[in-house]
Amino acid sequence: MTVQPRQNNLEVRWIRFRVLLVATGLLFGFLLLIGRSFQVQFFQWEGWASVANKQIRRDFHIEARRGEIYDRNGQELAISIELESLAANPRAIKDPEGAAKKLAAVVEIPATRLEKKLRQHRAFVWLKHYLTPRQTDAVRALGLEGIHFVKENRRYYPNVELAGHLLGFVGRDHIGLEGLEVAQDLLLAGESGTHPGAKDARGQIIYTHGLPAASGPQAYSLRLTLDKRIQYIAERELQKTVTDYGAKGGMIVVTEPKSGEILAMAVFPSFNPNSFSSYGPAVWRNRAVTDAFEPGSTFKIFLMAAALEEALVHPDDLFYCENGKYKVVNHTIHDLKKFGWLSLAQILRFSSN
């Protein structure tokens, strides 16, 4: 009878020990948690705050608006216009096939191609760059979930083919590829900027420092010596002359004699820089700048004018034209006809070499 109370006493003591052990463990863990919290909040807060900021904060890229190009009178030759481009978040689209069919009728892209993009396991895909205002309104009217717009700047040449060879064009990435657009790309492109912001768990942009400026960074613009009216006349007459004589092409450069300023630079065949990809490199080439030509008989006028101005010759002076053949070292210069004695005026008249 004396053994029973003793066993009960041992069990009670063992239970108390276990409770005390668990309580001690919990208290120790709680103290560690408080100590760690104190360490993080008072001694390591700068480091952890930096990690958190890196995870949510972003410096969003803001593209500089490309500078304009004007003629000498301030007439626009090349400008940048802001258009809506179409993008999608495929993860938010429940019916890719239905959405593709509705969009295809508006943006003029095959539904099968759109559906393939809308079925991608990505958060962002481009559907079409540079929508027309009518297309933008039509897509908005559809009210499709997961479809959104992105504003993009597009280079536009309002005079179509006018001075196309001189102006050149830019690519999709807004980098100059031909003409003045590439020659002055550093000035026209400017420097892009950034705007601070953050992204939430859904990837939505949060502008923590207010909305970015509507215009964005601005680049330099160019004002040329070119005169739009003279350029138009030069191109019109050049096209007419090439067509009338069945020539392969032609060039006209109009300059201001006293200053040397270029007033017009026309090349034919011409091209439309708004749709430059429809042409080829041979057509893009500004032959008035890149190609070298012998001045030929046209330079006789300047040579003769200089000789008369210096009083080295007179209009009635006679020169022997070697009967159409004259040898200089190892080269023989030929005339169109076998001329004998000609006066200075006759040399110019018959274009004798």
Side-chain angles (χ1 to χ4, degrees):
M1 299 297 292
T2 58
V3 177
Q4 186 71 24
R6 191 172 182 179
Q7 288 179 346
N8 292 338
N9 190 31
L10 287 173
E11 289 180 1
V12 171
R13 290 170 62 185
W14 175 243
I15 291 172
R16 288 179 179 175
F17 175 75
R18 286 189 298 176
V19 171
L20 181 62
L21 185 63
V22 171
T24 303
L26 291 174
L27 179 62
F28 184 73
F30 185 67
L31 290 175
L32 282 177
L33 184 62
I34 292 177
R36 179 58 177 161
S37 300
F38 184 84
Q39 181 185 25
V40 169
Q41 295 186 37
F42 290 92
F43 296 102
Q44 299 179 347
W45 67 271
E46 290 183 347
W48 288 109
S50 176
V51 172
N53 284 334
K54 288 180 180 179
Q55 290 178 346
I56 63 172
R57 295 194 178 277
R58 300 284 189 278
D59 283 333
F60 297 102
H61 177 80
I62 301 177
E63 181 184 326
R65 182 183 176 88
R66 194 172 180 86
E68 280 74 32
I69 302 179
Y70 304 97
D71 81 338
R72 67 188 302 120
N73 301 309
Q75 297 291 315
E76 293 177 340
L77 299 176
I79 60 176
S80 293
I81 56 177
E82 191 176 67
L83 295 176
E84 300 281 9
S85 291
L86 191 63
N89 178 4
R91 296 176 182 174
I93 299 175
K94 298 178 181 179
D95 182 14
E97 183 180 358
K101 288 180 179 179
K102 292 179 181 180
L103 289 172
V106 177
V107 300
E108 300 175 355
I109 295 177
T112 52
R113 205 163 100 197
L114 288 174
E115 184 181 351
K116 184 178 179 181
K117 290 186 176 182
L118 296 179
R119 290 190 181 278
Q120 295 182 25
H121 299 288
R122 299 170 59 185
F124 181 91
V125 292
W126 284 111
L127 298 181
K128 185 175 182 178
H129 292 275
Y130 309 135
L131 298 179
T132 65
R134 182 176 296 178
Q135 288 175 328
T136 302
D137 294 338
V139 172
R140 280 202 175 100
L142 294 174
L144 297 174
E145 188 177 357
I147 302 297
H148 54 271
F149 299 92
V150 179
K151 293 187 181 296
E152 288 191 293
N153 289 323
R154 182 180 184 180
R155 200 61 165 170
Y156 180 64
Y157 304 91
N159 303 294
V160 194
E161 296 184 357
L162 189 76
H165 289 91
L166 180 64
L167 297 173
F169 49 83
V170 300
R172 177 66 59 80
D173 53 3
H174 308 293
I175 296 177
L177 299 178
E178 284 287 342
L180 287 173
E181 294 281 22
V182 65
Q184 301 296 332
D185 189 61
L186 289 177
L187 291 176
L188 290 169
E191 295 184 4
S192 299
T194 58
H195 190 78
K199 278 192 175 183
D200 62 15
R202 294 183 176 183
Q204 301 292 327
I205 297 175
I206 303 172
Y207 290 112
T208 56
H209 292 67
L211 292 174
S215 59
Q218 188 67 39
Y220 290 98
S221 294
L222 297 180
R223 184 183 287 267
L224 310 180
T225 62
L226 199 79
D227 189 306
K228 179 179 172 181
R229 296 166 298 180
I230 300 176
Q231 179 72 24
Y232 170 76
I233 295 171
E235 291 189 11
R236 182 190 65 190
E237 295 303 315
L238 177 60
Q239 181 178 358
K240 183 178 181 299
T241 303
V242 170
T243 303
D244 290 346
Y245 287 91
K248 293 182 179 179
M251 292 151 288
I252 292 179
V253 178
V254 182
T255 64
E256 212 293 318
K258 293 183 179 179
S259 64
E261 294 179 347
I262 304 295
L263 301 178
M265 183 178 290
V267 178
F268 188 82
S270 58
F271 76 97
N272 180 1
N274 292 306
S275 55
F276 66 88
S277 58
S278 301
Y279 306 83
V283 181
W284 302 339
R285 188 172 177 177
N286 186 355
R287 297 185 180 277
V289 175
T290 61
D291 290 13
F293 295 91
E294 293 183 6
S297 296
T298 58
F299 202 74
K300 292 174 183 173
I301 300 172
F302 300 97
L303 181 62
M304 193 170 294
L308 289 170
E309 185 177 5
E310 297 297 324
L312 299 176
V313 294
H314 296 88
D316 297 328
D317 288 350
L318 295 176
F319 294 87
Y320 184 60
C321 297
E322 305 291 337
N323 287 318
K325 184 185 295 185
Y326 185 72
K327 191 172 183 178
V328 179
V329 191
N330 295 325
H331 298 278
T332 301
I333 301 173
H334 296 275
D335 229 338
L336 292 176
K337 293 182 180 180
K338 295 181 179 181
F339 296 111
W341 289 93
L342 295 176
S343 66
L344 197 63
Q346 289 175 319
I347 290 175
L348 186 60
R349 176 185 175 185
F350 297 120
S351 188
S352 173
N353 294 328

